């Protein structure tokens, strides 16, 4: 296994491998950058094929968190954690407590939160071993950041639609959503309320059928979503979905979704740009969750202020897309450069 010469290694400050024989924990924590503050990022629990896949994911995700927090104007750095396990079969209280001890060993340089495969109850178990946990809510309310992530994507999508189609409303807009879990379902409902026409897919057929029926949406098989005749494609499942082949198949003119690391390789952004497909960079669009999680860390929580902050995602997308058009560059390249500018202060 390579680290320093790994293609996704980006001068990460610290990478920690953790193991607990008693619980079966096999975990990696990557701290990318702490210049703006402690590295906050969720805990992903996933049955990776091997350690190399897990390392690739955590390196990419942690860098994305750095850029996400910088562009969301948060006093945070970027980090991420992964556990190599099937969350439906392997996850146990002992494993989560062992993960808490691993987080604690970093002394606050990394703050964890829920992500794919982990939830609020898991964070409560981790909290038994470390105080460096966020996303547990306030005054008995749920700490689930999914509605905030979804609303941020909704705001980003509206900005991208305005740039690509020159319209402010979403009525009749055709949107394909890949993945209708927590975030995707919230996004689907918000788009439905705004008058959009939805095409949905998900690996969980029961969940898919139930939501499609409730919203009067069309449901399609997983592979069919890429060629759906829609205006917007919203990836809201796992990452690396935008491959070179998918970039050529897409019928949508806008890509804006909640999934992290949507680009399988950086050159896909240029392929989308060449086809006239407007890509709203994922770590900009999906920053609503981390904005909410950061707010939960403070004693004086103001939900209305959080929502105003989330809605400013539209302004950031607008700035990126305006610069991209003026410079004839793809938006992913512009977003990365803007994030690095903000990190330099």
């Amino acid at each position: 296994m390579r680290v320093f010469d790994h293609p996704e290694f980006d001068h990460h400050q610290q990478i920690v491998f953790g193991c607990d024989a008693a619980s079966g924990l096999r975990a990696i924590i990557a701290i990318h950058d702490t210049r703006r503050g402690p590295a906050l990022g969720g805990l992903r629990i996933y049955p990776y094929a091997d350690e190399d896949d897990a390392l690739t994911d955590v390196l990419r995700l942690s860098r994305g968190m750095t850029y996400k927090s910088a562009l969301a104007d948060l006093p945070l750095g970027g980090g991420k954690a992964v556990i190599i396990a099937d969350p439906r079969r392997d996850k146990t209280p002992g494993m989560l407590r062992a993960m808490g001890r691993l987080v604690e060993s970093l002394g606050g340089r990394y703050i964890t939160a829920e992500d794919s495969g982990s939830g609020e109850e898991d964070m409560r178990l981790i909290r038994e071993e470390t105080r460096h946990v966020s996303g547990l809510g306030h005054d008995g309310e749920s700490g689930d950041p999914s509605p905030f992530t979804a609303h941020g994507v909704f705001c980003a999508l509206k900005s991208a639609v305005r740039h690509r189609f020159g319209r402010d409303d979403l009525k009749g807009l055709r949107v394909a959503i890949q993945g209708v879990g927590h975030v995707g379902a919230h996004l689907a409902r918000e788009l439905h309320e705004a008058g959009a026409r939805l095409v949905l897919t998900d690996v969980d057929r029961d969940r898919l059928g139930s939501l499609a029926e409730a919203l009067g949406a069309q449901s399609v098989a997983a592979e069919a979503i890429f060629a759906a005749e829609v205006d917007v494609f919203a990836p809201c499942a796992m990452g690396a979905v935008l491959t070179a082949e998918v970039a050529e198949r897409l019928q949508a003119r806008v890509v804006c979704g909640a999934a992290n690391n949507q680009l399988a390789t950086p050159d896909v952004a240029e392929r989308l740009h060449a086809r006239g497909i407007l890509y709203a960079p994922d770590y900009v669009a999906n920053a609503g969750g981390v904005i909410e999680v950061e707010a939960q860390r403070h004693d004086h929580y103001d939900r209305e202020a959080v929502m105003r902050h989330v809605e400013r995602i539209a302004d950031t997308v607008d700035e990126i897309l305006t610069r991209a058009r003026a410079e004839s560059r793809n938006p992913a390249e512009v977003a990365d450069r803007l994030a690095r500018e903000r990190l330099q202060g």
Side-chain angles (χ1 to χ4, degrees):
M1 178 184 295
R2 300 173 299 155
V3 176
F4 294 124
D5 60 347
H6 191 287
E8 298 297 340
F9 181 78
D10 182 45
H11 303 288
H12 285 68
Q13 293 177 355
Q14 191 172 7
I15 302 167
V16 177
F17 292 78
C19 177
D20 179 67
S23 66
L25 175 73
R26 293 186 300 157
I28 309 174
I29 298 175
I31 296 175
H32 178 250
D33 192 294
T34 56
R35 280 177 287 179
R36 293 177 63 93
L40 189 149
L43 167 62
R44 175 167 292 183
I45 306 176
Y46 187 77
Y48 295 97
D50 53 41
E51 294 171 23
D52 285 334
D53 282 356
L55 178 62
T56 296
D57 206 26
V58 79
L59 291 176
R60 293 191 74 193
L61 289 165
S62 56
R63 181 181 62 239
M65 289 303 301
T66 296
Y67 288 4
K68 181 184 300 190
S69 292
L71 291 184
D73 196 25
L74 295 172
L76 296 170
K80 206 75 173 185
V82 299
I83 294 177
I84 305 171
D86 186 331
R88 295 167 296 182
R89 298 183 308 168
D90 305 327
K91 185 169 62 176
T92 65
M95 176 183 288
L96 294 166
R97 292 189 182 101
M99 187 66 200
R101 293 191 291 274
L102 181 62
V103 171
E104 179 64 19
S105 72
L106 294 172
R109 284 173 53 78
Y110 168 68
I111 301 167
T112 198
E114 64 184 82
D115 200 316
S116 176
S118 67
E120 189 172 341
E121 288 306 311
D122 300 326
M123 293 303 112
R124 295 193 185 282
L125 286 168
I126 291 173
R127 183 69 174 78
E128 294 178 9
E129 303 290 339
T130 181
R131 61 187 177 86
H132 305 300
V133 180
S134 194
L136 295 178
H138 272 270
D139 299 324
E141 294 185 2
S142 172
D144 179 12
S146 299
F148 298 88
T149 303
H151 187 59
V153 174
F154 177 80
C155 295
L157 189 151
K158 288 186 67 176
S159 177
V161 164
R162 184 168 59 253
H163 277 262
R164 185 64 183 82
F165 300 116
R167 52 182 288 186
D168 291 317
D169 71 288
L170 303 183
K171 190 171 181 61
L173 190 81
R174 298 166 300 170
V175 183
I177 302 179
Q178 181 194 41
V180 290
H182 291 304
V183 177
H186 282 296
L187 178 62
R189 293 187 185 99
E190 195 161 357
L191 287 167
H192 174 71
E193 290 176 5
R197 296 159 52 196
L198 304 177
V199 179
L200 311 176
T201 195
D202 196 279
V203 294
D204 187 327
R205 303 303 296 180
D206 291 337
R207 178 168 62 198
L208 173 62
S210 176
L211 185 65
E213 182 178 0
L215 301 182
Q218 178 186 356
S219 63
V220 299
E223 275 301 307
I225 199 73
F226 303 119
E229 294 186 2
V230 295
D231 303 301
V232 179
F233 174 57
C236 295
M238 296 297 284
V241 67
L242 295 174
T243 63
E245 189 267 338
V246 166
E248 295 303 319
R249 290 176 59 194
L250 281 178
Q251 301 300 304
R253 298 291 93 189
V254 169
V255 174
C256 180
N260 287 308
N261 293 337
Q262 293 167 21
L263 301 173
T265 55
D267 62 290
V268 173
E270 196 57 40
R271 286 177 178 262
L272 294 170
H273 183 64
R275 288 199 60 213
I277 299 173
L278 192 61
Y279 171 64
D282 48 37
Y283 62 77
V284 181
N286 66 16
V290 74
I291 292 170
E292 159 67 1
V293 167
E294 157 61 14
Q296 289 181 24
R297 297 176 59 228
H298 304 284
D299 292 334
H300 303 293
Y301 177 81
D302 183 341
R303 189 180 190 281
E304 291 185 2
V306 172
M307 290 301 288
R308 289 194 298 272
H309 194 161
V310 170
E311 289 169 357
R312 291 203 298 274
I313 288 173
D315 298 330
T316 305
V317 172
D318 184 65
E319 179 180 357
I320 290 166
L321 297 184
T322 298
R323 286 179 59 166
R325 183 174 62 250
E327 299 171 10
S328 297
R329 297 179 182 273
N330 73 71
E333 182 182 353
V334 172
D336 285 356
R337 190 169 71 249
L338 181 58
R340 289 191 290 267
E341 288 172 4
R342 293 193 181 184
L343 285 169
Q344 293 298 329

